Amino acid sequence: MSGGIFADTHHSMHDPYQPGNSVIHRLDARVKLLLTIALIVTGALAAPGAWIVYVLLLTVTLSAAILSELGVGYVLRRSLLVLPFMLAALPVLFAQPGAALLSWAQLSLTVAGLERFLGVVFKSWISLQAAIVLVATTPMPDLLLALRALRLPGLLVSMTGLMWRYLFLMVEEVQRLLRARLARSSVAADGRRGGGTLIWRAQVAGGMVGGLLVRSFERSDRVYAAMLARGYDGEIRLLPRPPAAVWNVVVLVAGLLFFAFVTVLGVLYA
Amino acid sequence: MLFSAVAMHIPDGFLSIVVLVVCWVISLTVIGVALRRLNRLDSDRNDSLMGVLAAAIFAGQMLNFSVTGGTSGHLLGAALATILVGPYAAVLVMTIVVSTQALLFQDGGLLALGANLFNMAVVGVFVAYAVNRLVRRLLGETRLAIFISGFAAAWSSIFVASLACALELAFSGTSPANIAVPAMGGIHALIGLGEGLITLGALAFIYAARRDLLKLGQAQPNGSRAVLIGGTLLAVGLTVFSPWASSHPDGLEWVAEEHGFLGAARDSLYSIIPDYVMPGIQNEALATIVAGVVGVLVVLGLTLGLAYVRRNIRRHAS
Amino acid sequence: MPEAVWVQRLSYAYPDGQQALKDVSFALRPGEKVALVGPNGAGKSTLLLHLNGILRGDGEVQVGGLRVEEKTLGRVRALVGLVFQSPDDQLFSPTVFDDVAFGPIYQGLGRAEVERRVDEALQAVHMQGYAGRVSHHLSVGEKKRIAIATVLAMKPMVLALDEPSAGLDPRARRGLMKLLAELPQAMLVATHDLALVAELLPRMIVMDEGKIVADGDTQVLLRDEALLRQHGLEPLLR
């Protein structure tokens, strides 16, 4: 499906939620959100060489992957996303003082550098797994309610809800635009080299963005009219959430204690 | 996924606690001020407009154009949002876009979100606003001025945000300033041109189709002056400070190493248990690393094994 | 002269596994105007997307004797003018001129040639004088005509139109039908508008569940009420 300067894009943007009925799926969204954040904070607090922390946290994320019935493969495959950004951490390999393990020219790879680099890699990789399990087992509306329960301002919650409502419609619109552009990206009868100038191509993409924005403004007028028609008065009201079941609270407390324990362990053993 | 407009969404694990805390505090403060201003404006159609605009910016980031070979240019959209709805609403629009990218598509970390918000929703928007206003003040309100100021705002929002990103990595000790600043700044000086051109194309379309929309971002509540000043300070400050930091990378290291409260906390805990040393831990540092990596791999192997066994058991059961 | 379109045993499954086309074969002579009807989800749009290689399934597609494959895509896209259902998706430039000029500019043609192509294309859809207009402000019917002009500017051999009459008021629909009757290119028109089919397109292909279930003379097939009902179509009132 390639060919031409404007290749058809395969940006797969789907709702990451994977329906299911596992223990993790049934866990209250607020508990899941808090525990995910606690796990990532625990990782962030760990020193680069706190291996015991990485091992324990990885055990947690992979257990969650299995318990959620998403499968370890699903989570690991998606967690490879972090790889490109690893480039940003590469220089640290060579930028730490200490005895060199290997050297090329000016660069010398030190133990401290290696330790810090691997620390960054593991931390981001494990954090990513936790976030993947969270969003794959929690539908967006539940996440929004959880964020509201955690005192996120109502305006942000309602804006995010609206965005979510229209996001996939607009993604489809974008895909149709890209497809229409691709359909007219052709070669002349004499086979000459085409493609237009870089500036022209950027302007075309810009025109598509502009069209999308203009239509979205017009859509927002209609959305607003529809909200008014149903009695909207500028105040966002949400149904109150039932209190979390006891087992959820137990999981939350146990989880937080565990992460506190891991943090202390990391500090001691680093 | 992975259509991040720019290589600027920092994942978790790259930033130190101090940097994270500072970025979160600044971002939350600015978002709080923006929320208050917009609430006071008492125009309740804001949330439908901003929600839909956020979706459009989010989706619009997928509209690429090929640069050369396999690379392509994308949009971040901070400048466009600022020009269309003004700085405070744009802060919220970008906040939602960047947060959703982090939360649902793992584009940028959850803890690192504070820093990503600072770079894209605060620096990106403030700088875009300041540059846009200043250039217009110089050139007037002609069609050409709208386009030139839009291009300049888009380019500088990307460039200055990337400097902020580089400095955060440097302050965290993840990437030394003498590498991070020129690398990030250099790449984004180019990526910013793409942002500028797409923004220009979008403004040309909007100018032709719905010129009235370009006026919306102009009518601003009092206090935009604060954004103007803040944006100018951020742009000038980061542009001046980055080269300095880049030539004194050890200075930042020093901040990251010695003044991290974590280091201090660890030292105090060590003094509580002075003689307790794990066997094999305190000697060869490399051995520790190898042991750590082996530990991670063992857990990974065990889990994969367990998952495999589980699947087989299921298959037999069914 | 080669067939305008020649499709042999084409099958296609979407990445999610849904089988959209099953063993589809047919051919269009140059200048032949053919309707493609069937319920939503029958595979009509998917088939159109195969004609210029935006989707590529198993089997063979030829356009003007040129086999659709990686190295011919650029040429094939010029030979097949794909007109999408929503003109908003197709008109992404500020002005009508920019939109119609997209194809020729992309082909690398010189300025004079680009302008000539745009003039000709606008003339063909009776929209001369609209070059400087802003596409966004046009009526749906006008946008449809411009969308057709954007592909005519590439000098196609075949037009593939997806629901051309959808969303048009009666007058705009009548005007569009007149335009389609005038255009000399071969045409494959995916539509639910059987009245348009009866008037304009002498041959009809009926699709359902990814397969061609009937292919023949429009007047004959339109009288086969059992066939129409079986595939979710309503016979025309006579």
Side-chain angles (χ1 to χ4, degrees):
Chain A
M1 236 193 278
S2 60
I5 291 245
F6 297 124
D8 199 10
T9 47
H10 280 278
H11 295 310
S12 55
M13 196 164 67
H14 303 291
D15 187 343
Y17 178 64
Q18 307 283 322
N21 195 30
S22 71
V23 186
I24 309 278
H25 281 86
R26 277 178 281 136
L27 197 57
D28 190 282
R30 289 167 286 188
V31 173
K32 266 187 278 190
L33 185 62
L34 282 175
L35 288 180
T36 305
I37 293 170
L39 184 142
I40 298 173
V41 171
T42 305
L45 285 171
W51 305 106
I52 183 81
V53 175
Y54 304 145
V55 171
L56 288 173
L57 295 186
L58 185 62
T59 315
V60 173
T61 53
L62 293 181
S63 312
I66 292 181
L67 283 177
S68 66
E69 298 182 0
L70 294 167
V72 180
Y74 175 90
V75 175
L76 289 184
R77 235 175 299 124
R78 301 203 151 216
S79 70
L80 294 181
L81 268 179
V82 79
L83 283 179
F85 211 92
M86 285 301 146
L87 288 177
L90 272 180
V92 86
L93 276 174
F94 309 101
Q96 301 296 315
L101 290 172
L102 296 165
S103 350
W104 299 269
Q106 302 274 312
L107 298 171
S108 59
L109 179 76
T110 62
V111 171
L114 186 61
E115 188 177 72
R116 183 167 289 200
F117 175 74
L118 289 174
V120 168
V121 171
F122 284 137
K123 281 180 191 187
S124 45
W125 183 51
I126 295 169
S127 306
L128 199 57
Q129 292 176 14
I132 289 165
V133 173
L134 172 69
V135 297
T137 60
T138 320
M140 180 67 170
D142 287 7
L143 267 182
L144 282 178
L145 287 173
L147 287 168
R148 186 81 186 103
L150 299 179
R151 301 279 172 276
L152 192 74
L155 180 60
L156 283 182
V157 174
S158 73
M159 276 173 70
T160 311
L162 270 166
M163 183 200 74
W164 189 246
R165 168 68 184 75
Y166 292 104
L167 179 59
F168 296 102
L169 280 178
M170 292 201 187
V171 167
E172 278 172 20
E173 185 172 343
V174 162
Q175 279 162 343
R176 288 197 304 270
L177 281 164
L178 291 171
R179 186 167 273 182
R181 180 178 66 177
L182 181 65
R184 280 190 277 153
S185 301
S186 60
V187 172
D190 58 8
R192 72 176 80 191
R193 231 181 103 82
T197 63
L198 179 65
I199 291 182
W200 175 75
R201 290 199 297 274
Q203 297 276 297
V204 169
M208 295 161 93
V209 171
L212 190 70
L213 288 172
V214 166
R215 288 194 293 276
S216 74
F217 270 85
E218 290 166 356
R219 184 194 290 271
S220 92
D221 284 339
R222 296 193 297 273
V223 170
Y224 181 59
M227 286 164 79
L228 285 183
R230 281 182 282 169
Y232 178 72
D233 59 1
E235 186 70 32
I236 290 97
R237 298 181 188 81
L238 296 169
L239 285 175
R241 291 286 285 173
V246 178
W247 72 276
N248 280 295
V249 180
V250 172
V251 170
L252 177 64
V253 172
L256 291 179
L257 283 175
F258 174 77
F259 289 127
F261 168 73
V262 174
T263 305
V264 172
L265 210 60
V267 172
L268 290 179
Y269 281 44
Chain B
M1 244 166 279
L2 251 204
F3 54 86
S4 359
V6 282
M8 219 192 282
H9 294 66
I10 308 172
D12 281 325
F14 280 69
L15 299 178
S16 72
I17 292 290
V18 182
V19 170
L20 284 173
V21 169
V22 170
C23 287
W24 269 114
V25 168
I26 301 176
S27 302
L28 289 180
T29 310
V30 172
I31 293 166
V33 170
L35 278 170
R36 188 165 304 170
R37 294 247 179 238
L38 288 169
N39 277 339
R40 203 185 300 155
L41 263 182
D42 194 35
S43 64
D44 50 11
R45 72 176 294 282
N46 270 316
D47 40 351
S48 69
L49 175 61
M50 289 189 294
V52 175
L53 181 62
I57 297 255
F58 201 142
Q61 294 185 349
M62 296 167 68
L63 286 166
N64 59 350
F65 66 97
S66 87
V67 176
T68 170
T71 60
S72 57
H74 292 265
L75 176 82
L76 176 66
L80 259 184
T82 310
I83 293 166
L84 286 174
V85 292
Y88 291 114
V91 165
L92 296 189
V93 166
M94 292 310 292
T95 295
I96 291 180
V97 170
V98 174
S99 308
T100 309
Q101 282 168 342
L103 189 58
L104 290 161
F105 301 102
Q106 287 86 45
D107 228 349
L110 286 181
L111 269 199
L113 179 59
N116 288 327
L117 285 175
F118 176 72
N119 300 342
M120 289 179 264
V122 177
V123 174
V125 168
F126 276 41
V127 169
Y129 183 73
V131 170
N132 194 45
R133 291 313 302 267
L134 294 173
V135 174
R136 284 232 205 148
R137 202 162 286 179
L138 285 175
L139 298 180
E141 291 295 319
T142 62
R143 174 165 177 261
L144 190 65
I146 290 175
F147 292 165
I148 292 177
S149 61
F151 180 89
W155 182 84
S156 40
S157 73
I158 294 288
F159 179 67
V160 180
S162 80
L163 294 182
C165 178
L167 287 177
E168 285 149 16
L169 293 173
F171 269 115
S172 301
T174 304
S175 196
N178 57 343
I179 297 175
V181 169
M184 287 292 246
I187 292 169
H188 287 87
L190 290 177
I191 291 180
L193 292 179
E195 177 88 5
L197 288 172
I198 295 196
T199 303
L200 199 60
L203 288 176
F205 188 104
I206 298 168
Y207 189 86
R210 288 284 308 272
R211 199 168 307 173
D212 56 306
L213 293 180
L214 293 177
K215 300 234 160 55
L216 217 61
Q218 303 279 305
Q220 278 308 305
N222 302 330
S224 294
R225 183 170 291 274
V227 180
L228 185 61
I229 295 168
T232 313
L233 287 180
L234 278 172
V236 175
L238 285 169
T239 319
V240 171
F241 180 65
S242 302
W244 179 84
S246 180
S247 55
H248 300 79
D250 300 339
L252 291 194
E253 275 299 293
W254 186 77
V255 174
E257 289 294 297
E258 303 302 322
H259 285 214
F261 70 80
L262 204 65
R266 197 181 309 141
D267 290 348
S268 63
L269 269 164
Y270 271 126
S271 61
I272 298 172
I273 38 163
D275 294 320
Y276 185 81
V277 185
M278 284 296 288
I281 296 273
Q282 112 285 24
N283 52 20
E284 185 57 57
L286 185 62
T288 327
I289 297 181
V290 172
V293 174
V294 168
V296 170
L297 290 178
V298 166
V299 170
L300 192 61
L302 280 178
T303 339
L304 285 172
L306 188 64
Y308 179 75
V309 171
R310 241 173 85 101
R311 193 197 299 171
N312 274 357
I313 292 174
R314 270 233 194 123
R315 200 169 291 160
H316 279 288
S318 62
Chain C
M1 193 152 176
E3 306 275 24
V5 173
W6 185 79
V7 174
Q8 189 63 33
R9 309 209 56 170
L10 181 65
S11 294
Y12 179 75
Y14 276 102
D16 63 8
Q18 182 204 339
Q19 190 73 31
L21 295 178
K22 284 180 219 157
D23 212 7
V24 169
S25 304
F26 69 95
L28 251 66
R29 292 189 311 278
E32 192 179 19
K33 292 182 165 45
V34 179
L36 190 57
V37 302
N40 289 337
K44 305 189 294 291
S45 301
T46 308
L47 179 56
L48 294 188
L49 290 172
H50 276 83
L51 296 189
N52 68 358
I54 288 190
L55 296 180
R56 309 255 298 278
D58 298 325
E60 191 172 343
V61 180
Q62 287 187 12
V63 175
L66 199 61
R67 195 187 154 127
V68 179
E69 54 194 347
E70 196 62 37
K71 63 179 197 289
T72 60
L73 284 181
R75 256 331 272 158
V76 165
R77 281 173 189 159
L79 290 177
V80 180
L82 198 52
V83 181
F84 291 82
Q85 179 172 351
S86 162
D88 279 336
D89 296 333
Q90 199 149 358
L91 305 180
F92 40 68
S93 310
T95 65
V96 168
F97 178 89
D98 295 331
D99 267 321
V100 181
F102 177 93
I105 292 179
Y106 190 93
Q107 290 188 350
L109 303 181
R111 183 170 189 83
E113 175 68 7
V114 170
E115 283 172 2
R116 203 168 59 78
R117 293 274 190 109
V118 172
D119 282 347
E120 281 173 11
L122 288 178
Q123 201 140 20
V125 298
H126 307 295
M127 297 288 278
Q128 346 31 344
Y130 274 68
R133 296 281 286 274
V134 176
S135 312
H136 186 76
H137 293 159
L138 303 179
S139 71
V140 186
E142 290 168 327
K143 283 184 188 172
K144 283 267 181 187
R145 287 169 175 271
I146 301 300
I148 293 171
T150 66
V151 302
L152 290 181
M154 298 188 298
K155 296 209 176 291
M157 182 179 188
V158 184
L159 292 179
L161 300 112
D162 200 353
E163 298 289 356
S165 63
L168 296 184
D169 65 23
R171 193 189 314 167
R173 175 172 168 275
R174 179 55 51 196
L176 182 89
M177 285 166 68
K178 195 161 156 281
L179 170 64
L180 294 184
E182 286 167 17
L183 292 173
Q185 286 85 359
M187 244 175 236
L188 189 60
V189 184
T191 184
H192 295 306
D193 187 344
L194 291 187
L196 176 145
V197 173
E199 207 172 312
L200 203 64
L201 306 163
R203 178 175 152 206
M204 180 162 121
I205 295 176
V206 184
M207 283 187 79
D208 200 359
E209 294 180 349
K211 287 189 291 244
I212 292 185
V213 293
D215 179 352
D217 185 85
T218 297
Q219 300 309 327
V220 175
L221 289 179
L222 280 180
R223 273 195 292 274
D224 188 347
E225 290 199 14
L227 173 86
L228 295 180
R229 289 193 197 286
Q230 192 187 343
H231 299 292
L233 300 166
E234 280 192 14
L236 293 171
L237 296 172
R238 298 271 163 177

